[in-house]
Amino acid sequence: MDTTTKKNTERVRIQLEDFSVEDEVNKIKGCSKRIGGIVAFLGAARDFSKGHDVDKIDFEHYPGMAETRLSEIREQALKDFDIIEVTIIHRVGSLSIGDNIVLIIVGAEHRADAFKGCSWSIDELKRITPIWKKETTPQGDVWVEEHP
């Protein structure tokens, strides 16, 4: 595995297991002494959606394609924004209410650039990444199609 591929697999992951926000922030901090601002977006499973209680959420993905899309988002963010590093992690499988779902961390010299890069990255993730969400509610299972 070359260093670029290794770096991408460390910075972009789809996984069943939970992640540590603190560990991931420290990894971003450790990649450059120029980083002066870090912005993190953490998506968590909530117990209410569209007027219904939610008991749990299941995530499925298109293996290989989803990782490719996340890598493309990371690379595009690094090109389009004045940022230094990006980490994107998304969990799949069956998640309980309150569990971590997705984490995006962006490091930049300045906070404004980190906010812009992080906001764009989560919007793109929801727009182009083949990851699907099924909510289990008291009324039955519901596949969520839109990405607010």
Side-chain angles (χ1 to χ4, degrees):
M1 181 181 299
D2 66 45
T3 55
T4 302
T5 302
K6 184 177 179 196
K7 189 174 182 180
N8 282 342
T9 58
E10 290 173 357
R11 300 282 185 231
V12 173
R13 301 191 310 267
I14 294 178
Q15 61 191 44
L16 289 168
E17 63 274 3
D18 198 6
F19 46 78
S20 164
V21 175
E22 183 178 359
D23 288 351
E24 298 303 329
V25 167
N26 285 332
K27 289 177 190 174
I28 289 286
K29 272 184 181 174
C31 75
S32 174
K33 300 262 187 232
R34 289 187 301 134
I35 291 176
I38 295 174
V39 171
F41 171 81
L42 174 64
R46 59 189 156 121
D47 69 352
F48 197 75
S49 177
K50 297 181 201 159
H52 298 283
D53 290 331
V54 175
D55 299 323
K56 72 171 190 160
I57 303 173
D58 291 277
F59 288 91
E60 294 183 10
H61 73 297
Y62 183 167
M65 180 63 76
E67 290 85 345
T68 297
R69 290 290 181 254
L70 294 182
S71 290
E72 291 170 353
I73 291 167
R74 178 181 172 272
E75 293 302 319
Q76 196 65 47
L78 289 167
K79 286 180 188 170
D80 291 352
F81 300 93
D82 193 11
I83 59 178
I84 296 170
E85 192 50 90
V86 180
T87 294
I88 303 172
I89 303 169
H90 202 296
R91 292 181 66 197
V92 292
S94 187
L95 302 181
S96 298
I97 302 307
D99 282 355
N100 295 329
I101 300 170
V102 60
L103 177 67
I104 297 179
I105 301 175
V106 175
E109 288 187 32
H110 305 286
R111 70 178 185 275
D113 298 316
F115 275 112
K116 288 176 192 171
C118 189
S119 179
W120 181 85
S121 294
I122 188 62
D123 288 347
E124 281 297 289
L125 182 152
K126 287 183 170 272
R127 193 177 72 82
I128 69 168
T129 307
I131 296 175
W132 302 279
K133 175 169 69 172
K134 181 176 69 176
E135 296 174 340
T136 299
T137 73
Q139 293 76 33
D141 294 344
V142 177
W143 284 100
V144 178
E145 294 183 20
E146 73 283 355
H147 301 283

